[in-house]
Amino acid sequence: MILLDGKRIAAEIHQELAVEVAQLNSRGIEPHIALLLVGDNPASLSYVRSKSRACEQVGIRSTVVHLPAATSEQEILAYIEQWNADPAIHGILVQLPLPAHVRSDTILQAISPQKDVDGFHPVNVGRLVVGLPALLPCTPAGIVELLRRYQIRLAGKHVVIVGRSTIVGKPLANLLVQKAPWADAIVTVCHSGAPDLRRYTLDADVLVVAVGRAQMIRGEHVRQGAVVVDVGINRLEDASAPKGYRIVGDVDFASVAEKASALTPVPGGVGPMTIAMLLRNTVTIAAGTAWEKPPFQ
Ligand code: GUN
């Protein structure tokens, strides 16, 4: 079984990006991302810290604004409008989930599509669907990049995605059905409400799991020799762990490792790739090529 080492591949990408950032600096451009966090969700706090730290490592400037949970939609929109209008800010990211009183759609649609480093704006979603160069959502792009760097080809393969979220499942399906050398897959999207998930998962050459339920996919769901990508990041209480919890995926690692030919670990698989793609999106915006360059070249 091959462990798909997202941490190592992300570190490679960071090195490549650091070179590009230095080239931009010599042209007087300092890539700069604004990160907005509302409230005190512990996982979100940790993600925003990781993103900001990764930016620093490759020379991208990051501005983090952390607002209280009670912040109004108006106040959030005021930050976004200020950043939209500021030519020194290249990327804008609003960490999800937002508090319940804030309409996420309203906020995400207020971000300039050309600064939309998460690829969540309907303009970028639409560009992806019709096959135009787009700012791509970071987790789907990270999965494609990880498999590509391990030379796992998807053309003609049956990719089964469990999970139909707007952040992972749906955009990943839209990427993988494209007629392109790094895609060209036959894609099935299913979700946790399927009466018999194994009916779909057992047919997968490549199984991607993004449902947000700890260890729900086990060896019995997986065909011998399949490639398995685990997108889940779940906190399981564990009194013996230093922080009182440990992180597990949506895949039961031990039983799936006995079936899979390749598998992403959690942590250290898809997570670092998501961050690497966020940095890449920021750099392509700063370079002015975000809507010009086809992805994965
Ligand atoms: N929350 C969970 N995943 C993501 C992501 O990729 N981007 C943002 N902004 N929030 C998230």
Side-chain angles (χ1 to χ4, degrees):
M1 202 267 301
I2 298 169
L3 208 57
L4 301 170
D5 187 347
K7 196 172 168 188
R8 179 174 68 78
I9 302 290
E12 274 177 31
I13 295 169
H14 289 193
Q15 288 190 349
E16 296 162 14
L17 289 171
V19 174
E20 286 185 50
V21 169
Q23 285 164 354
L24 288 170
N25 289 347
S26 70
R27 290 165 48 195
I29 301 168
E30 185 188 20
H32 187 174
I33 184 173
L35 304 164
L36 182 63
L37 172 62
V38 187
D40 293 303
N41 179 317
S44 291
L45 266 164
S46 148
Y47 295 148
V48 168
R49 279 201 199 106
S50 301
K51 290 171 183 180
S52 162
R53 199 179 316 125
C55 283
E56 274 171 36
Q57 281 168 5
V58 305
I60 296 171
R61 188 170 159 199
S62 69
T63 295
V64 178
V65 171
H66 186 183
L67 301 173
T71 306
S72 71
E73 231 173 64
Q74 283 300 324
E75 289 171 272
I76 296 171
L77 289 171
Y79 276 98
I80 291 172
E81 279 156 25
Q82 180 200 323
W83 290 329
N84 281 345
D86 183 346
I89 298 280
H90 302 100
I92 302 171
L93 180 145
V94 176
Q95 186 65 30
L96 302 178
L98 285 163
H101 68 277
V102 179
R103 289 168 297 180
S104 301
D105 285 343
T106 305
I107 301 300
L108 296 179
Q109 288 176 36
I111 296 171
S112 162
Q114 319 221 30
K115 298 189 177 188
D116 173 30
V117 277
D118 259 329
F120 292 164
H121 192 287
V123 167
N124 283 308
V125 177
R127 292 179 69 98
L128 164 61
V129 172
V130 299
L132 285 168
L135 283 160
L136 297 176
C138 303
T139 301
I143 292 167
V144 171
E145 189 65 35
L146 182 64
L147 297 177
R148 211 174 66 92
R149 293 200 183 213
Y150 274 93
Q151 296 182 358
I152 294 170
R153 300 196 197 293
L154 302 176
K157 299 281 179 60
H158 187 195
V159 179
V160 175
I161 303 169
V162 187
R164 39 131 176 229
S165 71
T166 311
I167 293 182
V168 184
K170 280 192 281 183
L172 180 62
N174 277 310
L175 266 177
L176 295 184
V177 293
Q178 301 217 17
K179 199 172 172 70
W182 44 266
D184 242 352
I186 291 88
V187 180
T188 298
V189 182
C190 47
H191 54 82
S192 55
D196 178 14
L197 255 189
R198 292 173 75 238
R199 177 177 159 196
Y200 309 99
T201 60
L202 279 175
D203 194 54
D205 299 308
V206 178
L207 179 62
V208 181
V209 191
V211 277
R213 284 200 205 164
Q215 299 166 321
M216 76 164 286
I217 296 295
R218 297 175 303 276
E220 70 202 51
H221 293 91
V222 177
R223 184 156 90 183
Q224 192 71 42
V227 172
V228 179
V229 176
D230 185 357
V231 184
I233 303 178
N234 307 289
R235 291 185 178 199
L236 267 195
E237 279 190 40
D238 181 350
S240 71
K243 293 183 176 171
Y245 65 87
R246 62 195 167 90
I247 301 289
V248 299
D250 292 350
V251 167
D252 176 48
F253 190 89
S255 63
V256 170
E258 288 179 14
K259 293 280 196 67
S261 62
L263 173 58
T264 61
V266 176
V270 173
M273 293 301 298
T274 295
I275 293 185
M277 295 300 103
L278 174 69
L279 306 185
R280 179 188 279 178
N281 279 349
T282 308
V283 170
T284 58
I285 296 169
T289 55
W291 281 2
E292 288 170 16
K293 275 210 310 208
F296 313 114
Q297 296 237 317

